[in-house]
Amino acid sequence: MSLLLGTTITVSSNHWMMAWTGLEINTLAIIPLISKSHHPRAIEAATKYFLTQAAASTLLLFSSMTNAWFTGQWDITQLTHPTSCLLLTTAVSIKLGLTPFHFWFPEVLQGSSMTTGLLLATLMKFPPTALLILTSPSLNPTLLTTMAIASAALGGWMGLNQTQIRKVLAFSSISHLGWMTIILLYNPKLTLLTFYLYCLMTSAIFLALNTTKITNLATMMTAWTKIPPLTTTLMLALLSLAGLPPLTGFLPKWLIIQELTKQEMTPVATTIALLSLLGLFFYLRLAYCATITLPTNSSNHMKHWQTNKSVHILITTLISLSILLLPLSPMIFTTT
């Protein structure tokens, strides 16, 4: 309830103090969810999360106070002072986990459970994204483009060497944030559409992994016997998150590249498109492990019997949407 309240307050506020209050409620609400397992790694994750979010909230408050001091404006859309704009970009980047302020995010996600990780990767990113969209006309385009390309590059490179699924999804999130940020100044609606589709696909993947109890590549190789249809559709959802053409994930990437080309930013569009190939590699590796690979020495692995466990209707709906939405893109264009 507190998470929903904090998100609603931040998204619907016009005054900086109310936005800050909503972010603080969110931070305080998620910390018990991260640390509820009482595992040392979970406590460490909660501590790291608290420290980084507290620093980001302080910077955000300092930014808004500086702007109010020089301009007399507390309105979110009236952020005009250059120092305030720079401080706000830093604060929101820390909140979201944009490069170079990304260090906390993979560690916190790895220390959390799958359901808490889902909240951290989707719902908790909504208020900062809303603030970024509201203040986008005042922000520095060069700085945002540089951070976006760095996020896409780092999310791709760092995800290549991971064996823990949650860390792979964390770097995937950082990479997607790069795509959202790069188009922010030119088409904020497209940023929002990308965020919604990213949340849809990530929710499907997290819930499917939670159902099959997959946490790393080794368990992924042996889990295909549990619920074969779910594992197969999980592979498609992973490829959708990678942005392969027949699937939903291709839609935001296609629209962003198209918009960047219209803005005569062809080199930037080419760079970020090439960097998405790094992400495609580790998504393909996950999809390959999920469906095609058997462990090299099967005697060391415990066999999983196929279960009759029913898959929740929410998972099937989300996976269907994350695979099949591309043909509906004309309708999505008209609604956005």
Side-chain angles (χ1 to χ4, degrees), residues 78-304:
Q78 301 296 320
L79 192 78
T80 49
H81 195 263
T83 310
S84 297
C85 294
L86 190 64
L87 283 170
L88 180 85
T89 309
T90 308
V92 174
S93 301
I94 296 172
K95 284 268 177 200
L96 288 170
L98 266 173
T99 308
F101 308 107
H102 63 279
F103 298 100
W104 63 273
F105 189 55
E107 298 297 325
V108 170
L109 211 64
Q110 181 58 31
S112 313
S113 65
M114 278 291 178
T115 43
T116 311
L118 170 60
L119 287 173
L120 284 168
T122 54
L123 185 67
M124 296 301 290
K125 291 192 183 299
F126 188 45
T129 308
L131 288 179
L132 211 53
I133 289 169
L134 285 170
T135 55
S136 58
S138 315
L139 303 179
N140 185 341
T142 313
L143 178 64
L144 280 180
T145 306
T146 308
M147 288 172 76
I149 290 175
S151 294
L154 184 126
W157 278 116
M158 296 291 284
L160 292 177
N161 202 28
Q162 302 298 330
T163 55
Q164 298 293 328
I165 307 288
R166 276 168 291 191
K167 279 199 174 179
V168 170
L169 289 170
F171 287 114
S172 147
S173 178
I174 292 167
S175 177
H176 277 84
L177 281 170
W179 281 86
M180 290 175 217
T181 311
I182 205 161
I183 204 64
L184 179 70
L185 295 177
Y186 310 105
N187 195 338
K189 283 185 178 178
L190 197 47
T191 299
L192 210 52
L193 176 68
T194 309
F195 179 74
Y196 289 151
L197 290 177
Y198 158 75
C199 286
L200 174 75
M201 294 180 287
T202 306
S203 302
I205 288 167
F206 265 105
L207 292 170
L209 291 172
N210 191 41
T211 304
T212 50
K213 298 290 179 281
I214 296 172
T215 53
N216 55 27
L217 289 179
T219 53
M220 202 171 213
M221 288 178 191
T222 56
W224 67 273
T225 51
K226 281 185 178 179
I227 311 174
L230 182 62
T231 318
T232 310
T233 49
L234 173 63
M235 177 192 76
L236 290 172
L238 285 163
L239 294 178
S240 179
L241 200 59
L244 281 184
L247 306 166
T248 306
F250 177 61
L251 177 61
K253 287 185 166 59
W254 167 35
L255 293 176
I256 288 169
I257 289 170
Q258 187 180 354
E259 186 65 33
L260 287 173
T261 313
K262 279 183 194 170
Q263 300 289 338
E264 296 182 356
M265 296 174 69
T266 313
V268 174
T270 309
T271 308
I272 201 162
L274 288 172
L275 288 171
S276 71
L277 292 174
L278 293 167
L280 177 62
F281 178 83
F282 64 72
Y283 291 121
L284 277 172
R285 187 175 65 164
L286 287 177
Y288 183 74
C289 287
T291 49
I292 306 168
T293 310
L294 285 172
T296 47
N297 187 358
S298 57
S299 61
N300 292 338
H301 291 268
M302 189 168 69
K303 291 285 190 295
H304 292 291

